[in-house]
């Protein structure tokens, strides 16, 4: 059996469609991937809101493909709308696509941190500082204590997809991780980080996850599959 995965992505995103398939290719089950795109170039409140307005069209397109699960794959587009927004969005999509598992990158990160029992977290984000603060506030509203965070101040979404791994690691090394239970190495599905997760865990000595590993974990658990993948950090190292 092949599980059909639907991805709703910003039109300028090139990372989620590589990292999610790369992760799920390590599972014993088979998957196919089907995307629908929402126009967005600049990571700004105005463009994020305009992008969200395209959601219904994208869900209709993925419904035509009869996907088994759909991941709304733009974390900041949801978190910038205010606390708890991922629940409202997932409910709306579920009403439109009742036969599929409905997930979002924002909800996946919240659920992944809960699965790790990580009450105190640190974040690396590519966003400009006002948007990064909204991500921090969103997680704090979900009951997490954000001990430190970094904003790389990149607002061109195409450029976010080209941020080199060493820059991400330098930002992580600049964080105060004292008392942190986990590090979110990339709080964005567009900022590449999958290749860094295992090395970062060894360097920092605590669980490291990303929007992509959280999304893979959420897809597997949503489909009732064992959320265990090699070389993807503590989140996906064992069944829970």
């Amino acid at each position: 059996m092949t599980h059909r995965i639907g991805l709703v992505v910003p039109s300028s995103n090139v990372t989620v469609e590589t990292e999610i398939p790369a992760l799920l290719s390590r599972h014993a089950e088979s998957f196919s991937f089907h995307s629908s795109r929402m126009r967005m170039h600049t990571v700004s409140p105005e463009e994020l809101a305009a992008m969200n307005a395209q959601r219904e069209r994208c869900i209709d397109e993925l419904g035509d493909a009869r996907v088994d699960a759909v991941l709304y794959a733009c974390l900041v587009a949801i978190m910038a709308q205010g606390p708890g927004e991922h629940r409202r969005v997932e409910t709306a999509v579920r009403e439109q696509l009742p036969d599929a598992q409905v997930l979002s990158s924002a909800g996946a990160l919240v659920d992944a941190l809960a699965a790790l029992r990580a009450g105190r977290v640190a974040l690396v984000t590519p966003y400009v500082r006002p948007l990064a603060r909204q991500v921090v506030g969103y997680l704090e509203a979900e009951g997490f204590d954000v001990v430190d965070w970094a904003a790389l101040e990149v607002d061109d979404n195409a450029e976010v997809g080209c941020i080199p791994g060493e820059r991400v690691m330098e930002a992580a090394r600049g964080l105060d991780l004292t008392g942190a239970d986990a590090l979110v190495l990339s709080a964005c599905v567009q900022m590449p980080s999958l290749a860094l997760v295992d090395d970062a865990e060894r360097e920092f000595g605590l669980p490291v996850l990303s929007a992509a590993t959280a999304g893979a974990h959420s897809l597997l658990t949503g489909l009732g599959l064992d959320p265990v993948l090699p070389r993807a950090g503590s989140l996906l190292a064992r069944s829970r």
Side-chain angles (χ1 to χ4, degrees):
M1 175 182 178
T2 297
H3 305 275
R4 296 180 186 173
I5 306 297
L7 299 170
V8 180
V9 300
S11 57
S12 49
N13 191 304
V14 296
T15 303
V16 68
E17 292 158 308
T18 58
E19 291 196 340
I20 292 289
L23 280 161
L24 295 187
S25 70
R26 304 172 189 177
H27 201 274
E29 297 284 331
S30 297
F31 303 89
S32 63
F33 300 91
H34 314 276
S35 298
S36 183
R37 312 182 82 76
M38 307 172 287
R39 293 300 302 278
M40 189 270 277
H41 296 283
T42 302
V43 190
S44 67
E46 296 77 18
E47 285 213 24
L48 291 172
M51 185 191 74
N52 284 334
Q54 303 168 56
R55 186 190 69 232
E56 290 188 9
R57 169 187 58 79
C58 293
I59 298 303
D60 280 341
E61 291 175 359
L62 293 174
D64 291 344
R66 297 183 182 180
V67 295
D68 300 303
V70 60
L71 178 67
Y72 191 89
C74 188
L75 182 146
V76 72
I78 288 180
M79 290 192 177
Q81 308 310 309
E85 178 70 3
H86 72 276
R87 296 182 183 86
R88 189 194 70 78
V89 169
E90 290 172 9
T91 297
V93 173
R94 201 169 288 117
E95 291 173 355
Q96 192 177 349
L97 199 63
D99 296 328
Q101 294 296 315
V102 175
L103 312 153
S104 69
S105 292
L109 183 59
V110 169
D111 291 345
L113 291 171
L116 287 169
R117 299 181 181 178
R120 293 168 56 81
V121 302
L123 309 174
V124 178
T125 81
Y127 312 122
V128 295
R129 292 187 70 82
L131 282 174
R133 287 192 191 98
Q134 287 185 284
V135 172
V136 170
Y138 196 97
L139 292 176
E140 290 177 339
E142 291 290 330
F144 302 102
D145 179 10
V146 179
V147 299
D148 202 2
W149 55 278
L152 300 185
E153 301 273 9
V154 180
D155 63 359
D156 184 305
N157 201 46
E159 290 185 16
V160 171
C162 300
I163 293 173
E166 187 53 34
R167 186 178 178 193
V168 178
M169 291 296 290
E170 286 176 3
R173 291 178 185 122
L175 296 174
D176 182 356
L177 299 177
T178 305
D181 300 315
L183 167 63
V184 182
L185 194 59
S186 176
C188 174
V189 293
Q190 169 72 332
M191 186 165 74
S193 65
L194 179 57
L196 309 173
V197 170
D198 266 4
D199 287 343
E201 284 208 344
R202 286 188 288 269
E203 177 171 341
F204 299 117
L206 76 169
V208 173
L209 67 159
S210 70
T213 61
H217 180 268
S218 188
L219 285 165
L220 291 171
T221 55
L223 290 168
L225 303 174
D226 197 15
V228 176
L229 299 171
R231 309 181 309 283
S234 298
L235 175 67
L236 293 159
R238 58 185 177 85
S239 300
R240 284 179 173 81

